[in-house]
Structure formats: C-alpha cells, structure tokens
Amino acid sequence: MSKYYSINKFSKILGVSAQTLRNWDKKGKLHPHHTSSNGYRYYSHEQLNQVMNVKPNLDRIVIGYCRVSSNKQKDDLERQIENMKLYLTAQGKPFEIISDIGSGIDYKKKGLKELMKRISQNKVDKVVVFYKDRLLRFGFELVEYIASLYDCDIEIIDHTEKTEQQELVEDLVQIITVFSCKLQGKRANKARKLVKELIDDGGEEDDKNNSSHADPK
C-alpha cells in the first residue's frame, strides 16, 4: 500500500516551501498524486523517491542495533544481541545485527556509520533498538529524521522513562568519560573521581525516590 504525504509534510521532507510545490504544480514540474475533495494536495512515496533520486529497493531488511559503552560490558552486549535475535526472529522478517562498543555521544563508531550508510542506500526497512539511548544519547531525533527520508522506521522496544535525575547523571557521565579519555595523569584521575561521585550521587537519589514510594510500616 502506497504512503501519501500532505503538502506540508512533503515540503518539509524535501526542504522546500509548500508554495514552491504549488508553483511546481502550476508549471507542470511536479503534480500532486491526487487532490482530495476539499482541495488538499497529496504526494506519494514513489514521488518522494523520484524527486530525491532514491530507487525503490524491494530487498530491504530489518537491522537490530546493539551497543554498550565499554569493553567491560561485552557480556551485556552478547545478551543484547541474543535477545535481539530472538525478538527479530519472532517477527519473521529478514534481519541483520549491527553492534558497537563505544560512547553514546561518539558519532564515529564503526557500526553506527555502517548503519547510516545502509539507510542512505535505501537498504533498511526498520532499525530496532532496545532503548532510545542505545542508538545515540544525543542526536536521536536527527537520525530518526534522516531515516524517515528513506522510509525507514526506528522501533524502540522498551519505552521505560527515566527520571530527570537519572538522565542528567547519565549524560554527564558520558560527556566526562569521553573527555577524560583524552586526559593524562592527575587531570584524568580527577575526571574519573568526578564520574564516580556523579554515579554515587545518582544512586543515592534513586534510593531516596524509592524509599519515598515505599509502603508505610
């Protein structure tokens, strides 16, 4: 079944104004696929591919993306991969697993670059991740937008929301960890100490939150 876009949605994807599309229609450059009874223009996904010079690919697959932050978490990565295989096998569609070991704010990871290349080649129907931050800690919405240009969906299996405290601590830990790797000597030790303090403080805050929700004795 073909997918259709309103003139506003279609114009945003192409990076032009809705008025530009109306002008193209008048000049015969690009007519809408159809116009509704109340006069709204709609464009098809085939037209999107044509305008963006993207050739339809009927052999697109699902990619499960798994990531951990460090080599110390290899066991966790293996569990992620096995669980992802079970999940995707149950869906009954061709799939492949791409994995990475690296920070969630590192955009140069080998697996992530391979994933983005496949998406841009129109070879991916859907990307599946366990958690939103497994793909990227910052910039997820940008990747999601780029994927949408190639009609590629991103599925997040677990939508469990974290507290603002947890998210802030995890973000700070990621940032400090990355920069501490570039430091040497005393400055690196100070950075690692700060990371430990942030983690400990975050844990104490979680304990307080949990105790505040505990049943009274």
Side-chain angles (χ1 to χ4, degrees):
M1 184 176 180
S2 186
K3 184 176 182 179
Y4 298 102
Y5 305 89
S6 67
I7 188 170
N8 288 328
K9 178 69 173 178
F10 200 71
S11 64
K12 287 180 180 178
I13 293 175
L14 293 182
V16 300
S17 67
Q19 186 57 49
T20 296
L21 290 179
R22 295 187 186 97
N23 292 338
W24 287 357
D25 184 14
K26 291 178 181 178
K27 295 177 181 179
K29 183 177 179 180
L30 178 66
H31 297 298
H33 180 272
H34 66 273
T35 303
S36 65
S37 58
N38 51 5
Y40 290 106
R41 294 174 171 86
Y42 287 91
Y43 297 82
S44 69
H45 189 70
E46 288 73 19
Q47 286 178 301
L48 177 62
N49 287 338
Q50 181 182 2
V51 174
M52 298 185 68
N53 293 319
V54 178
K55 297 180 180 179
N57 188 342
L58 301 179
D59 298 322
R60 305 196 329 159
I61 65 171
V62 174
I63 290 183
Y65 181 76
C66 303
R67 180 187 67 81
V68 293
S69 299
S70 68
N71 286 312
K72 295 179 181 179
Q73 298 172 302
K74 281 186 176 180
D75 289 343
D76 181 36
L77 180 60
E78 291 301 320
R79 284 192 294 271
Q80 275 190 54
I81 292 173
E82 289 305 312
N83 290 333
M84 182 66 75
K85 286 180 179 178
L86 290 173
Y87 181 81
L88 296 180
T89 298
Q91 293 189 356
K93 296 181 179 180
F95 70 87
E96 185 177 327
I97 303 293
I98 291 180
S99 64
D100 264 327
I101 297 178
S103 168
I105 60 175
D106 178 6
Y107 294 84
K108 297 181 180 180
K109 295 187 294 291
K110 182 179 179 180
L112 180 62
K113 290 196 293 185
E114 177 64 21
L115 176 64
M116 297 308 298
K117 183 178 79 172
R118 300 274 195 92
I119 291 174
S120 67
Q121 292 173 338
N122 200 30
K123 294 181 178 180
V124 184
D125 184 56
K126 181 171 64 174
V127 176
V128 181
V129 292
F130 280 112
Y131 302 97
K132 183 178 178 179
D133 62 6
R134 290 300 87 188
L135 187 59
L136 278 176
R137 184 161 291 279
F138 303 119
F140 175 88
E141 288 75 15
L142 176 59
V143 173
E144 188 176 40
Y145 171 72
I146 293 173
S148 72
L149 298 181
Y150 298 92
D151 198 28
C152 173
D153 296 323
I154 297 181
E155 178 184 346
I156 303 170
I157 297 175
D158 191 335
H159 287 273
T160 302
E161 293 187 3
K162 298 179 181 179
T163 65
E164 292 184 2
Q165 175 79 9
Q166 286 176 311
E167 290 189 349
L168 178 59
V169 169
E170 290 179 4
D171 289 346
L172 288 173
V173 167
Q174 285 287 324
I175 293 170
I176 295 173
T177 300
V178 169
F179 284 101
S180 67
C181 291
K182 299 179 181 180
L183 301 176
Q184 295 180 350
K186 293 182 179 180
R187 288 192 297 172
N189 291 331
K190 287 182 179 179
R192 282 191 285 269
K193 183 179 179 181
L194 179 57
V195 169
K196 185 178 184 303
E197 290 175 354
L198 283 169
I199 294 174
D200 292 342
D201 289 344
E204 290 176 4
E205 184 67 26
D206 289 341
D207 290 341
K208 290 179 182 178
N209 291 334
N210 291 333
S211 62
S212 66
H213 291 89
D215 294 332
K217 293 182 180 179

